[in-house]
Amino acid sequence: MRQKPDMAPLRLSAANLENLADRAAVPAYDRAGLKAGILHFGVGNFHRAHQALYLDDLFNSGRDHDWAILGAGVRPADEDMRRALAGQDFLTTVVEQSAGESTARITGPMAGFLRPGDAAAIVDALADPAIRIVSLTITEGGYFIDPGSGRFDPTHPEIVADARQPQAPKTVFGLILAGLKQRRARGIAPFTVMSCDNLPHNGHVTREAVAGLARLSDPAFADWIIEAVAFPNGMVDRITPATGERERRVLAESFGIEDAWPVFCEDFRQWVLEDNFPAGRPALERVGVEFVADVSPYEAMKIRILNGGHAVIAYPSGLLDIHFVHEAMANPLIAAFLDRIEREEIIPVVPPVPGVDLHAYYRRVVERFANPKIGDTVRRLCLDGSNRQPKFILPTVADRLREGRPIAGLALEVALWCRYCFGVTESGAAIAPNDPNWGRLQAAARAARADPMAWLAMEDIFGEVGRSNVFRAAFAEALKALWRDGTEAVLRRYVEAPGTPGNGQS
């Protein structure tokens, strides 16, 4: 429902749903009749604005009430979320925002949330025949990937620990293995494992992690997983900022709802999935999910154009002390920087997508970035570059280098990331740590001020791109220019330089 100001806030709970119905759309189904069919790791904002919302739509249509969500997690923050949701009967208020209006709905597809750290309870749930899908939103950095090779890293300390004690798992993948092992021992068909994270070939990446961990302690079990367990690839898309006091206040003032952890998001959403669910699945095609034989083209389009575009605007905006993403898009230099890199360097090497005009897709992305209602922050876009750059930016650089195409704009993007990790904005303000590897990145960025190659020497991040003489020269020139002339001057010089003929054509 649209916002209705001047209402005394009412706390979100099952008991209050009837009274909240004039303030927000509420579930049209009997939540008491829901049965969990999906166990989901990583109950964060994106999950509740995306997968959970599609299921809420499906349940509202009267279908598939045996596919409710059972939440699970392994991190301390997961316990914070569990407590917040348990205190409001696992209901969530989702506020969808277009440039013109905001609407609120209360969703209820979650049937419960297992306590993080209770491995025995989680494994028991995973072994329950009613659970036929295990889904994940554990962020790009949660898959134990070696950034340089793009492959599963079996030497990570958490993985090594789970391999040594598979009976006491602490990682998501260790828990999944324990659940699969119990199912196989009991003669229960395996569940499907469905990643909902922004990773190229996320199903394949998840399979590598699950089977890779199994191989460390039980190679035969790893072979069985490869043979018997389905890991469909999928592309997910919805801009969903973090929740803070601003969002709680806006919800209370505009809709009269007190929600401990509401979700604010854009009004656009997309989900493309490979139809590979041997244990069955909900009829999500009835509520807008697109099932395809091969999701790869959709993944590449979204990850390179949208997520890559986020990276392009993130670091210059951070260096210029710009707080919100829509404010960054209102900055002519940053908007022009994005436009030129997208049209001349990113889009020309994105593989074609059936029935999709890539330039029209990009124009829609620009509209989404510029939506002032979202309140997405530049700092969120800058987060975790050590995991995101190897997935969102460097593959495009590698493609262009292989084809002998110019990479000046993308080299500048990487130089801006390096300059950001130095830890001080153009105004002299300190940048708080914003990456799991911040200490290492900051040390490399500070060394790179005198020797740019110190940044590219992070072989696990840059791999073959960092060894390219063409890229090394372009990066060094860009970084030196940023320190000599400043971010605005370098951006202006780039956007005003003559273009490469034909490079931005569709």
Side-chain angles (χ1 to χ4, degrees), residues 413-495:
E413 188 279 338
V414 176
L416 286 159
W417 175 40
C418 175
R419 170 66 184 83
Y420 176 88
C421 291
F422 188 87
V424 180
T425 71
E426 292 279 347
S427 70
I431 297 172
N434 201 19
D435 192 288
N437 300 302
W438 186 258
R440 178 193 181 201
L441 294 178
Q442 188 170 58
R446 292 185 172 183
R449 183 170 185 177
D451 175 16
M453 294 308 103
W455 186 252
L456 301 185
M458 294 186 289
E459 175 75 17
D460 58 322
I461 291 176
F462 289 102
E464 64 175 296
V465 167
R467 297 189 293 271
S468 163
N469 289 332
V470 172
F471 185 76
R472 287 160 74 93
F475 169 78
E477 179 182 353
L479 185 62
K480 289 175 181 176
L482 286 171
W483 280 114
R484 183 184 64 241
D485 304 325
T487 298
E488 287 189 336
V490 174
L491 290 180
R492 185 172 293 107
R493 193 154 57 236
Y494 171 77
V495 302

Coordinates of all heavy atoms in Angstrom, one line a residue, residues 413-495:
E413 N 39.5 2.8 -13.4 CA 38.6 2.3 -12.3 C 39.4 1.5 -11.3 O 39.2 1.7 -10.1 CB 37.5 1.4 -12.9 CG 36.5 0.9 -12.0 CD 36.9 -0.2 -11.1 OE1 37.8 -1.0 -11.4 OE2 36.3 -0.4 -10.0
V414 N 40.3 0.7 -11.7 CA 41.2 -0.1 -10.8 C 42.1 0.9 -10.0 O 42.3 0.7 -8.8 CB 42.0 -1.2 -11.5 CG1 42.9 -1.9 -10.5 CG2 41.0 -2.2 -12.2
A415 N 42.6 1.9 -10.7 CA 43.4 2.9 -10.0 C 42.6 3.7 -8.9 O 43.1 4.0 -7.9 CB 44.0 3.9 -11.0
L416 N 41.4 4.0 -9.2 CA 40.5 4.6 -8.3 C 40.2 3.7 -7.0 O 40.2 4.2 -5.9 CB 39.2 5.0 -8.9 CG 39.3 6.2 -9.9 CD1 38.1 6.2 -10.8 CD2 39.3 7.5 -9.1
W417 N 40.1 2.4 -7.3 CA 39.9 1.5 -6.2 C 41.2 1.5 -5.3 O 41.1 1.6 -4.1 CB 39.7 0.1 -6.7 CG 39.6 -1.0 -5.7 CD1 39.1 -0.9 -4.4 CD2 40.2 -2.3 -5.8 NE1 39.2 -2.1 -3.7 CE2 39.9 -3.0 -4.5 CE3 40.9 -3.0 -6.8 CZ2 40.3 -4.3 -4.3 CZ3 41.2 -4.3 -6.5 CH2 41.0 -4.9 -5.3
C418 N 42.3 1.5 -5.9 CA 43.6 1.6 -5.2 C 43.7 2.8 -4.4 O 44.0 2.8 -3.2 CB 44.8 1.4 -6.2 SG 46.4 1.6 -5.4
R419 N 43.4 4.0 -5.0 CA 43.5 5.3 -4.4 C 42.5 5.3 -3.2 O 42.8 5.8 -2.1 CB 43.1 6.4 -5.4 CG 42.9 7.8 -4.8 CD 44.2 8.3 -4.2 NE 43.9 9.6 -3.6 CZ 43.4 9.8 -2.4 NH1 43.1 8.8 -1.6 NH2 43.2 11.0 -1.9
Y420 N 41.3 4.7 -3.3 CA 40.3 4.7 -2.2 C 40.9 3.9 -1.1 O 40.7 4.2 0.1 CB 39.0 4.0 -2.7 CG 38.0 3.8 -1.7 CD1 37.0 4.8 -1.4 CD2 37.9 2.6 -1.0 CE1 36.0 4.6 -0.5 CE2 36.9 2.4 -0.1 CZ 35.9 3.4 0.2 OH 35.0 3.2 1.1
C421 N 41.6 2.7 -1.3 CA 42.1 1.9 -0.3 C 43.3 2.5 0.4 O 43.7 2.0 1.5 CB 42.5 0.5 -0.9 SG 41.0 -0.5 -1.4
F422 N 43.8 3.6 -0.1 CA 44.8 4.3 0.6 C 44.3 4.8 2.0 O 45.0 4.9 3.0 CB 45.3 5.5 -0.2 CG 46.5 6.2 0.4 CD1 47.8 5.8 0.1 CD2 46.3 7.3 1.2 CE1 48.9 6.5 0.6 CE2 47.4 8.0 1.8 CZ 48.7 7.6 1.5
G423 N 42.9 5.1 2.0 CA 42.3 5.3 3.2 C 42.0 6.8 3.5 O 41.6 7.1 4.7
V424 N 42.1 7.7 2.6 CA 41.9 9.1 2.8 C 41.2 9.7 1.5 O 41.6 9.4 0.4 CB 43.2 9.9 3.0 CG1 42.9 11.4 3.2 CG2 43.9 9.3 4.2
T425 N 40.1 10.4 1.7 CA 39.4 11.0 0.6 C 40.1 12.2 0.1 O 41.1 12.7 0.7 CB 38.0 11.4 1.0 OG1 38.0 12.6 1.8 CG2 37.2 10.3 1.7
E426 N 39.6 12.8 -1.0 CA 40.3 14.0 -1.6 C 40.3 15.2 -0.6 O 41.1 16.0 -0.6 CB 39.6 14.4 -2.9 CG 39.7 13.5 -4.0 CD 41.0 13.6 -4.7 OE1 41.7 14.7 -4.5 OE2 41.4 12.7 -5.6
S427 N 39.3 15.2 0.3 CA 39.2 16.3 1.3 C 40.1 16.1 2.5 O 40.1 16.9 3.4 CB 37.7 16.5 1.7 OG 37.3 15.3 2.5
G428 N 40.7 14.9 2.6 CA 41.5 14.6 3.7 C 40.8 13.8 4.8 O 41.4 13.4 5.8
A429 N 39.5 13.4 4.6 CA 38.7 12.6 5.6 C 39.2 11.2 5.5 O 39.5 10.6 4.5 CB 37.3 12.7 5.3
A430 N 39.3 10.6 6.7 CA 39.7 9.2 6.8 C 38.5 8.3 6.3 O 37.4 8.5 6.5 CB 40.0 8.8 8.2
I431 N 38.9 7.2 5.5 CA 38.0 6.2 5.1 C 38.1 5.0 6.0 O 39.1 4.4 6.2 CB 38.3 5.8 3.6 CG1 38.2 7.0 2.6 CG2 37.4 4.6 3.2 CD1 38.7 6.7 1.2
A432 N 37.0 4.7 6.7 CA 37.0 3.6 7.6 C 37.2 2.3 6.9 O 36.8 2.2 5.7 CB 35.7 3.6 8.4
P433 N 37.8 1.3 7.5 CA 38.0 0.0 6.8 C 36.7 -0.5 6.2 O 35.6 -0.5 6.8 CB 38.4 -0.9 8.0 CG 39.1 0.0 8.9 CD 38.3 1.3 8.9
N434 N 36.8 -1.0 4.9 CA 35.6 -1.3 4.2 C 35.9 -2.5 3.3 O 35.4 -2.6 2.2 CB 35.2 -0.1 3.3 CG 33.8 -0.2 2.8 OD1 33.0 -0.9 3.4 ND2 33.5 0.6 1.8
D435 N 36.6 -3.5 3.9 CA 36.9 -4.7 3.1 C 37.4 -5.7 4.2 O 38.1 -5.4 5.1 CB 38.0 -4.5 2.1 CG 38.2 -5.6 1.1 OD1 38.7 -6.7 1.5 OD2 37.8 -5.5 -0.1
P436 N 37.1 -7.0 4.0 CA 37.6 -8.0 5.0 C 39.2 -8.0 4.9 O 39.8 -8.4 5.9 CB 37.1 -9.3 4.4 CG 35.8 -9.0 3.7 CD 36.1 -7.6 3.1
N437 N 39.8 -7.6 3.8 CA 41.2 -7.6 3.7 C 41.8 -6.2 3.7 O 42.8 -5.9 3.1 CB 41.6 -8.3 2.4 CG 41.2 -9.7 2.3 OD1 41.5 -10.5 3.2 ND2 40.4 -10.0 1.3
W438 N 41.1 -5.3 4.5 CA 41.5 -3.9 4.4 C 42.9 -3.6 4.8 O 43.6 -2.8 4.2 CB 40.6 -3.1 5.4 CG 40.8 -1.6 5.3 CD1 41.4 -0.8 6.2 CD2 40.3 -0.7 4.3 NE1 41.4 0.5 5.8 CE2 40.7 0.6 4.6 CE3 39.6 -0.9 3.1 CZ2 40.4 1.7 3.8 CZ3 39.3 0.2 2.3 CH2 39.7 1.5 2.7
G439 N 43.4 -4.3 5.8 CA 44.8 -4.0 6.2 C 45.8 -4.3 5.1 O 46.7 -3.5 4.8
R440 N 45.6 -5.4 4.5 CA 46.5 -5.8 3.3 C 46.3 -4.8 2.2 O 47.3 -4.4 1.6 CB 46.1 -7.2 2.9 CG 46.9 -7.7 1.7 CD 46.3 -8.9 1.1 NE 47.1 -9.4 0.0 CZ 46.6 -10.2 -1.0 NH1 45.3 -10.6 -0.9 NH2 47.4 -10.6 -2.0
L441 N 45.1 -4.5 1.8 CA 44.8 -3.5 0.7 C 45.4 -2.2 1.0 O 46.0 -1.5 0.1 CB 43.3 -3.4 0.5 CG 42.6 -4.7 0.0 CD1 41.1 -4.4 -0.2 CD2 43.2 -5.1 -1.3
Q442 N 45.2 -1.7 2.2 CA 45.8 -0.4 2.6 C 47.3 -0.3 2.5 O 47.9 0.6 2.0 CB 45.3 0.1 3.9 CG 45.6 1.5 4.2 CD 45.0 2.0 5.5 OE1 45.2 1.4 6.6 NE2 44.1 3.1 5.4
A443 N 47.9 -1.4 3.0 CA 49.4 -1.5 2.9 C 49.8 -1.4 1.4 O 50.8 -0.7 1.1 CB 49.9 -2.7 3.6
A444 N 49.2 -2.2 0.6 CA 49.5 -2.2 -0.9 C 49.3 -0.9 -1.5 O 50.0 -0.4 -2.4 CB 48.8 -3.4 -1.6
A445 N 48.1 -0.3 -1.2 CA 47.8 1.0 -1.8 C 48.8 2.1 -1.4 O 49.2 3.0 -2.2 CB 46.4 1.4 -1.4
R446 N 49.3 2.1 -0.1 CA 50.2 3.1 0.3 C 51.6 2.8 -0.4 O 52.3 3.8 -0.7 CB 50.3 3.1 1.8 CG 49.0 3.6 2.4 CD 49.0 3.7 3.9 NE 47.8 4.4 4.3 CZ 47.5 4.8 5.6 NH1 48.4 4.5 6.5 NH2 46.4 5.4 5.8
A447 N 52.0 1.6 -0.5 CA 53.2 1.3 -1.3 C 53.1 1.7 -2.7 O 54.1 2.1 -3.4 CB 53.5 -0.2 -1.1
A448 N 51.9 1.5 -3.3 CA 51.7 1.8 -4.7 C 51.7 3.3 -5.0 O 51.9 3.6 -6.2 CB 50.3 1.3 -5.2
R449 N 51.6 4.1 -4.0 CA 51.8 5.6 -4.3 C 53.1 5.9 -5.0 O 53.2 6.7 -5.9 CB 51.6 6.4 -3.1 CG 51.6 7.9 -3.3 CD 51.2 8.7 -2.2 NE 51.1 10.1 -2.5 CZ 50.7 11.1 -1.7 NH1 50.3 10.8 -0.4 NH2 50.7 12.4 -2.0
A450 N 54.2 5.2 -4.5 CA 55.5 5.4 -5.1 C 55.8 4.3 -6.1 O 56.5 4.6 -7.1 CB 56.6 5.2 -4.0
D451 N 55.2 3.1 -6.0 CA 55.4 2.0 -6.9 C 54.1 1.4 -7.3 O 53.6 0.5 -6.6 CB 56.4 1.0 -6.3 CG 56.6 -0.2 -7.2 OD1 56.2 -0.1 -8.4 OD2 57.0 -1.3 -6.7
P452 N 53.5 1.8 -8.4 CA 52.1 1.3 -8.7 C 52.1 -0.2 -8.8 O 51.0 -0.8 -8.6 CB 51.8 2.0 -10.1 CG 52.6 3.3 -10.0 CD 53.9 2.9 -9.3
M453 N 53.2 -0.8 -9.2 CA 53.2 -2.3 -9.3 C 53.0 -3.0 -8.0 O 52.6 -4.2 -8.0 CB 54.5 -2.8 -10.0 CG 54.7 -2.3 -11.4 SD 53.2 -2.7 -12.5 CE 52.5 -1.0 -12.6
A454 N 53.1 -2.3 -6.9 CA 52.8 -2.9 -5.6 C 51.4 -3.3 -5.4 O 51.0 -4.3 -4.7 CB 53.2 -2.0 -4.4
W455 N 50.5 -2.6 -6.1 CA 49.1 -3.0 -6.1 C 48.8 -4.2 -7.0 O 48.1 -5.1 -6.5 CB 48.3 -1.8 -6.6 CG 46.8 -1.9 -6.5 CD1 45.9 -2.1 -7.5 CD2 46.0 -1.9 -5.3 NE1 44.6 -2.2 -7.0 CE2 44.6 -2.0 -5.7 CE3 46.3 -1.7 -3.9 CZ2 43.6 -2.1 -4.7 CZ3 45.2 -1.8 -3.0 CH2 43.9 -1.9 -3.4
L456 N 49.4 -4.2 -8.1 CA 49.1 -5.3 -9.1 C 49.9 -6.6 -8.6 O 49.6 -7.7 -9.2 CB 49.5 -4.9 -10.5 CG 48.8 -3.7 -11.1 CD1 49.2 -3.5 -12.5 CD2 47.3 -3.9 -10.9
A457 N 50.8 -6.5 -7.7 CA 51.5 -7.6 -7.2 C 50.6 -8.6 -6.4 O 51.1 -9.7 -6.0 CB 52.7 -7.2 -6.4
M458 N 49.4 -8.1 -6.1 CA 48.5 -9.0 -5.4 C 48.0 -10.1 -6.4 O 46.9 -10.0 -6.9 CB 47.4 -8.2 -4.7 CG 47.8 -7.3 -3.6 SD 46.5 -6.5 -2.7 CE 45.9 -5.3 -3.9
E459 N 48.8 -11.1 -6.6 CA 48.6 -12.1 -7.6 C 47.2 -12.8 -7.4 O 46.6 -13.1 -8.4 CB 49.7 -13.1 -7.6 CG 49.6 -14.3 -8.5 CD 49.8 -13.9 -10.0 OE1 50.4 -12.8 -10.3 OE2 49.4 -14.7 -10.9
D460 N 46.8 -13.1 -6.2 CA 45.6 -13.8 -6.0 C 44.4 -13.0 -6.4 O 43.3 -13.6 -6.6 CB 45.5 -14.2 -4.5 CG 45.5 -13.0 -3.6 OD1 46.3 -12.0 -3.8 OD2 44.8 -12.9 -2.6
I461 N 44.5 -11.7 -6.5 CA 43.4 -10.8 -7.0 C 43.5 -10.6 -8.5 O 42.5 -10.7 -9.2 CB 43.4 -9.5 -6.2 CG1 43.0 -9.7 -4.7 CG2 42.5 -8.5 -6.9 CD1 43.1 -8.5 -3.9
F462 N 44.7 -10.2 -9.0 CA 44.8 -9.8 -10.3 C 45.2 -10.9 -11.3 O 44.9 -10.7 -12.5 CB 45.8 -8.6 -10.4 CG 45.3 -7.4 -9.8 CD1 45.7 -7.0 -8.5 CD2 44.4 -6.6 -10.5 CE1 45.2 -5.8 -7.9 CE2 43.9 -5.4 -9.9 CZ 44.3 -5.0 -8.6
G463 N 45.9 -11.9 -10.9 CA 46.2 -13.0 -11.8 C 46.8 -12.5 -13.1 O 47.7 -11.7 -13.1
E464 N 46.4 -13.0 -14.3 CA 47.0 -12.7 -15.6 C 46.8 -11.2 -15.9 O 47.7 -10.6 -16.6 CB 46.4 -13.6 -16.7 CG 44.9 -13.3 -16.9 CD 44.4 -14.1 -18.1 OE1 44.8 -13.9 -19.2 OE2 43.5 -15.0 -17.9
V465 N 45.7 -10.6 -15.5 CA 45.5 -9.2 -15.8 C 46.7 -8.4 -15.1 O 47.2 -7.4 -15.8 CB 44.2 -8.7 -15.2 CG1 44.1 -7.1 -15.2 CG2 43.0 -9.2 -16.0
G466 N 47.1 -8.7 -13.9 CA 48.2 -8.0 -13.3 C 49.5 -8.2 -13.9 O 50.5 -7.4 -13.7
R467 N 49.6 -9.3 -14.7 CA 50.9 -9.5 -15.4 C 51.0 -8.9 -16.8 O 52.0 -9.0 -17.5 CB 51.1 -11.1 -15.5 CG 51.3 -11.7 -14.1 CD 51.7 -13.2 -14.3 NE 50.7 -14.0 -14.9 CZ 49.7 -14.6 -14.2 NH1 49.6 -14.5 -12.9 NH2 48.8 -15.4 -14.8
S468 N 49.9 -8.4 -17.3 CA 49.8 -7.8 -18.6 C 50.6 -6.5 -18.7 O 50.3 -5.5 -17.9 CB 48.4 -7.5 -19.0 OG 48.3 -6.6 -20.1
N469 N 51.6 -6.4 -19.5 CA 52.3 -5.1 -19.7 C 51.4 -4.0 -20.1 O 51.6 -2.8 -19.7 CB 53.5 -5.3 -20.7 CG 54.6 -6.2 -20.1 OD1 54.8 -6.3 -18.9 ND2 55.3 -6.9 -21.0
V470 N 50.4 -4.3 -20.9 CA 49.5 -3.2 -21.4 C 48.7 -2.7 -20.2 O 48.6 -1.4 -20.0 CB 48.6 -3.8 -22.5 CG1 47.5 -2.7 -22.8 CG2 49.3 -4.1 -23.7
F471 N 48.2 -3.6 -19.4 CA 47.4 -3.1 -18.3 C 48.3 -2.4 -17.2 O 47.9 -1.4 -16.6 CB 46.7 -4.3 -17.6 CG 45.7 -3.9 -16.5 CD1 44.5 -3.2 -16.8 CD2 46.1 -4.0 -15.2 CE1 43.7 -2.8 -15.8 CE2 45.3 -3.6 -14.2 CZ 44.1 -3.0 -14.5
R472 N 49.5 -3.0 -17.0 CA 50.4 -2.4 -16.0 C 50.7 -0.9 -16.4 O 50.7 -0.1 -15.5 CB 51.6 -3.2 -15.9 CG 51.4 -4.6 -15.2 CD 52.5 -5.6 -15.5 NE 53.8 -5.2 -14.9 CZ 54.1 -5.7 -13.7 NH1 53.3 -6.6 -13.0 NH2 55.3 -5.4 -13.1
A473 N 50.9 -0.7 -17.6 CA 51.3 0.7 -18.1 C 50.1 1.6 -17.9 O 50.2 2.7 -17.4 CB 51.8 0.7 -19.5
A474 N 48.9 1.1 -18.3 CA 47.7 2.0 -18.2 C 47.4 2.3 -16.7 O 47.0 3.4 -16.4 CB 46.5 1.3 -18.9
F475 N 47.5 1.2 -15.9 CA 47.2 1.4 -14.5 C 48.1 2.4 -13.8 O 47.7 3.3 -13.1 CB 47.2 0.1 -13.8 CG 47.2 0.2 -12.3 CD1 46.0 0.4 -11.6 CD2 48.3 0.1 -11.5 CE1 45.9 0.5 -10.2 CE2 48.3 0.2 -10.1 CZ 47.1 0.4 -9.5
A476 N 49.4 2.2 -14.1 CA 50.4 3.1 -13.5 C 50.2 4.5 -13.9 O 50.3 5.4 -13.0 CB 51.8 2.6 -13.9
E477 N 49.9 4.8 -15.1 CA 49.7 6.1 -15.6 C 48.5 6.7 -14.9 O 48.5 7.9 -14.5 CB 49.4 6.1 -17.1 CG 49.2 7.5 -17.7 CD 48.9 7.4 -19.2 OE1 49.1 6.4 -19.8 OE2 48.5 8.5 -19.8
A478 N 47.4 5.9 -14.8 CA 46.2 6.4 -14.1 C 46.4 6.7 -12.7 O 45.9 7.8 -12.1 CB 45.0 5.4 -14.3
L479 N 47.1 5.9 -11.9 CA 47.3 6.1 -10.5 C 48.2 7.3 -10.3 O 47.9 8.1 -9.4 CB 47.9 4.8 -9.9 CG 48.0 4.9 -8.4 CD1 46.7 5.0 -7.7 CD2 48.8 3.6 -7.8
K480 N 49.2 7.4 -11.0 CA 50.1 8.6 -10.9 C 49.3 9.9 -11.2 O 49.5 10.9 -10.5 CB 51.3 8.4 -11.8 CG 52.3 7.4 -11.4 CD 53.4 7.2 -12.4 CE 54.4 6.1 -12.0 NZ 55.4 5.9 -13.1
A481 N 48.5 9.8 -12.2 CA 47.7 11.0 -12.5 C 46.7 11.4 -11.3 O 46.5 12.5 -11.0 CB 46.9 10.8 -13.8
L482 N 46.1 10.3 -10.7 CA 45.2 10.6 -9.6 C 45.9 11.3 -8.4 O 45.4 12.2 -7.8 CB 44.6 9.3 -9.1 CG 43.5 8.7 -10.0 CD1 43.1 7.3 -9.5 CD2 42.3 9.6 -10.0
W483 N 47.1 10.8 -8.1 CA 47.9 11.5 -7.0 C 48.4 12.8 -7.4 O 48.5 13.8 -6.6 CB 49.1 10.6 -6.6 CG 48.6 9.4 -5.7 CD1 48.7 8.1 -6.0 CD2 48.1 9.6 -4.4 NE1 48.2 7.4 -4.9 CE2 47.8 8.3 -3.9 CE3 47.8 10.6 -3.6 CZ2 47.3 8.0 -2.7 CZ3 47.3 10.4 -2.3 CH2 47.0 9.1 -1.9
R484 N 48.7 13.0 -8.7 CA 49.3 14.3 -9.1 C 48.2 15.4 -9.3 O 48.4 16.5 -8.9 CB 50.0 14.1 -10.5 CG 50.7 15.3 -11.0 CD 51.4 15.1 -12.4 NE 50.4 14.7 -13.4 CZ 50.4 13.6 -14.0 NH1 51.2 12.6 -13.8 NH2 49.4 13.4 -15.0
D485 N 47.1 15.0 -10.0 CA 46.1 16.0 -10.4 C 44.8 15.9 -9.6 O 44.0 16.9 -9.7 CB 45.8 15.8 -11.9 CG 47.1 15.8 -12.7 OD1 48.0 16.6 -12.4 OD2 47.1 15.1 -13.7
G486 N 44.5 14.8 -9.0 CA 43.2 14.7 -8.2 C 42.2 14.0 -9.0 O 42.2 13.9 -10.3
T487 N 41.2 13.5 -8.3 CA 40.1 12.7 -9.0 C 39.3 13.4 -10.0 O 39.1 12.9 -11.1 CB 39.2 12.1 -7.9 OG1 39.9 11.3 -7.0 CG2 38.0 11.3 -8.5
E488 N 38.9 14.6 -9.7 CA 38.0 15.4 -10.6 C 38.8 15.7 -11.9 O 38.2 15.5 -13.0 CB 37.5 16.7 -10.0 CG 36.4 16.4 -8.9 CD 35.8 17.7 -8.4 OE1 36.5 18.8 -8.6 OE2 34.7 17.7 -8.0
A489 N 40.0 16.1 -11.8 CA 40.8 16.5 -13.0 C 41.0 15.2 -13.9 O 40.9 15.3 -15.1 CB 42.1 17.1 -12.6
V490 N 41.3 14.1 -13.3 CA 41.5 12.9 -14.1 C 40.2 12.4 -14.7 O 40.2 12.0 -15.9 CB 42.1 11.8 -13.2 CG1 42.3 10.5 -14.0 CG2 43.5 12.2 -12.7
L491 N 39.1 12.4 -14.0 CA 37.8 12.1 -14.6 C 37.5 13.0 -15.8 O 37.1 12.5 -16.8 CB 36.7 12.1 -13.5 CG 36.7 11.1 -12.4 CD1 35.5 11.3 -11.5 CD2 36.7 9.7 -13.0
R492 N 37.7 14.3 -15.6 CA 37.4 15.2 -16.7 C 38.2 15.0 -17.9 O 37.7 15.0 -19.0 CB 37.6 16.7 -16.2 CG 37.1 17.7 -17.2 CD 37.2 19.1 -16.6 NE 36.2 19.3 -15.5 CZ 36.5 19.3 -14.2 NH1 37.7 19.3 -13.8 NH2 35.5 19.5 -13.3
R493 N 39.5 14.7 -17.7 CA 40.4 14.4 -18.8 C 39.9 13.2 -19.6 O 39.9 13.1 -20.8 CB 41.8 14.3 -18.3 CG 42.8 14.3 -19.4 CD 44.2 14.8 -18.9 NE 44.7 14.0 -17.8 CZ 45.0 14.5 -16.6 NH1 44.9 15.8 -16.4 NH2 45.5 13.8 -15.6
Y494 N 39.5 12.1 -18.8 CA 39.1 10.9 -19.4 C 37.8 11.1 -20.2 O 37.7 10.6 -21.4 CB 38.9 9.8 -18.4 CG 38.2 8.5 -18.9 CD1 39.0 7.6 -19.7 CD2 36.9 8.3 -18.7 CE1 38.4 6.5 -20.2 CE2 36.3 7.1 -19.2 CZ 37.0 6.3 -20.0 OH 36.4 5.1 -20.5
V495 N 36.8 11.7 -19.6 CA 35.5 11.8 -20.3 C 35.5 12.8 -21.5 O 34.7 12.7 -22.4 CB 34.3 12.2 -19.3 CG1 34.2 11.2 -18.2 CG2 34.5 13.6 -18.8

